[in-house]
Amino acid sequence: MTGFLGITGPQAGRQELHHTEGGAGAHPRAQKGHSAARDAVKSAPRKNSTLQDIPSMTRFQALALSALIALLSACATPSGPQREAASPTQPARAPSGNLPKVDWSAERARITRTLSGASDLSVITRSDGYLQLLIPGAEAFARDGVEPRPSLKATLDRIATALNETQGTEILVIGHTDAAGSELHNMQLSIRRAESVVEYLRVRGIALTRLQADGRGETEPFADNGIEAGRAKNRRVEMIVRPFAR
């Protein structure tokens, strides 16, 4: 096969293709066709790339995206000054202005005189100046019971009468047990007994705001838990009487 410009073989087809793509030696008819196409492109009016050139569906999506961005920006912007988080509420206590003033030295001496001298109660002044009332508990409760027996109730009646004369003190009631049984059981039992004593004192007229209950279980023994006499001493109720903190 003889190609254009006398080139034969496969190279003829490639050379012909090269010239028909508008090279310097292109066929006059090919050059004329390309010139007409270039003139048509130059004469076509140019359009500005605006939102009107976007298809209707694309334009709707663009508007929706703009609205979404504006909404998110408004939500992220604080509408006013930010407040700091409130600090945790402190445990409620009686306002200091409502607490009666108490001369603790005189009050401690009065309570000691009133309650001392009985076999069912020991009154001790601690090293911190507070009063400690020790009530033997061997016969105060039934076995594993929390209801005060009549002997304990009589002692609590005397204590309530003495402590009701002045309202400026608080009373912490602490229950203790011996080591018989599990440690968890004894801890729970001591707390329940202390709560029972607090409730009895409340019924006898002492304001609940002055009373607190706690239990120590078998953790603070007075005597040897290996013998019955020691276990009997370890079963007890303790009260700490002190002036309100101001």
Side-chain angles (χ1 to χ4, degrees):
M1 171 180 172
T2 302
F4 187 62
L5 297 179
I7 300 174
T8 61
Q11 293 180 351
R14 289 196 296 271
Q15 188 70 20
E16 183 178 5
L17 178 61
H18 171 73
H19 285 287
T20 59
E21 290 177 352
H27 195 279
R29 284 180 297 180
Q31 291 181 342
K32 183 177 180 180
H34 284 289
S35 298
R38 284 196 297 271
D39 293 341
V41 171
K42 289 181 180 180
S43 61
R46 293 183 177 270
K47 295 183 180 180
N48 294 329
S49 179
T50 63
L51 194 61
Q52 294 177 352
D53 297 328
I54 303 175
S56 59
M57 191 62 182
T58 305
R59 183 167 62 251
F60 173 78
Q61 291 175 343
L63 293 174
L65 180 59
S66 299
L68 179 59
I69 292 174
L71 179 61
L72 292 177
S73 299
C75 292
T77 304
S79 58
Q82 299 297 305
R83 296 182 179 180
E84 295 181 358
S87 59
T89 304
Q90 298 296 322
R93 295 200 59 179
S96 58
N98 294 338
L99 294 175
K101 293 182 179 180
V102 60
D103 183 343
W104 174 237
S105 296
E107 178 64 8
R108 181 176 56 202
R110 184 193 67 79
I111 295 173
T112 301
R113 288 193 308 269
T114 304
L115 297 178
S116 294
S119 60
D120 61 345
L121 177 64
S122 298
V123 183
I124 303 169
T125 300
R126 304 190 339 163
S127 59
D128 56 11
Y130 300 154
L131 277 182
Q132 183 179 27
L133 311 181
L134 291 178
I135 306 171
E139 301 299 328
F141 302 95
R143 181 177 180 81
D144 283 340
V146 297
E147 181 67 23
R149 283 180 165 175
S151 59
L152 177 57
K153 289 181 179 180
T155 303
L156 295 178
D157 288 343
R158 291 175 47 229
I159 293 175
T161 300
L163 298 182
N164 258 333
E165 291 190 19
T166 303
Q167 303 299 312
T169 58
E170 60 180 352
I171 305 102
L172 172 61
V173 180
I174 305 172
H176 299 269
T177 69
D178 58 28
S182 70
E183 185 175 351
L184 176 60
H185 170 76
N186 290 333
M187 180 64 69
Q188 294 173 337
L189 180 61
S190 67
I191 295 173
R192 292 170 60 201
R193 285 177 172 176
E195 291 173 342
S196 179
V197 170
V198 163
E199 175 60 18
Y200 188 86
L201 294 175
R202 185 196 66 80
V203 172
R204 295 294 295 169
I206 297 182
L208 191 58
T209 53
R210 299 177 59 195
L211 296 167
Q212 300 179 53
D214 194 9
R216 306 290 168 79
E218 61 186 71
T219 62
E220 297 180 3
F222 260 5
D224 184 6
N225 272 309
I227 59 176
E228 178 54 36
R231 290 192 293 271
K233 290 181 179 180
N234 291 331
R235 297 191 295 269
R236 66 193 188 277
V237 175
E238 177 184 350
M239 295 187 192
I240 306 299
V241 183
R242 59 196 177 192
F244 275 113
R246 296 180 179 275

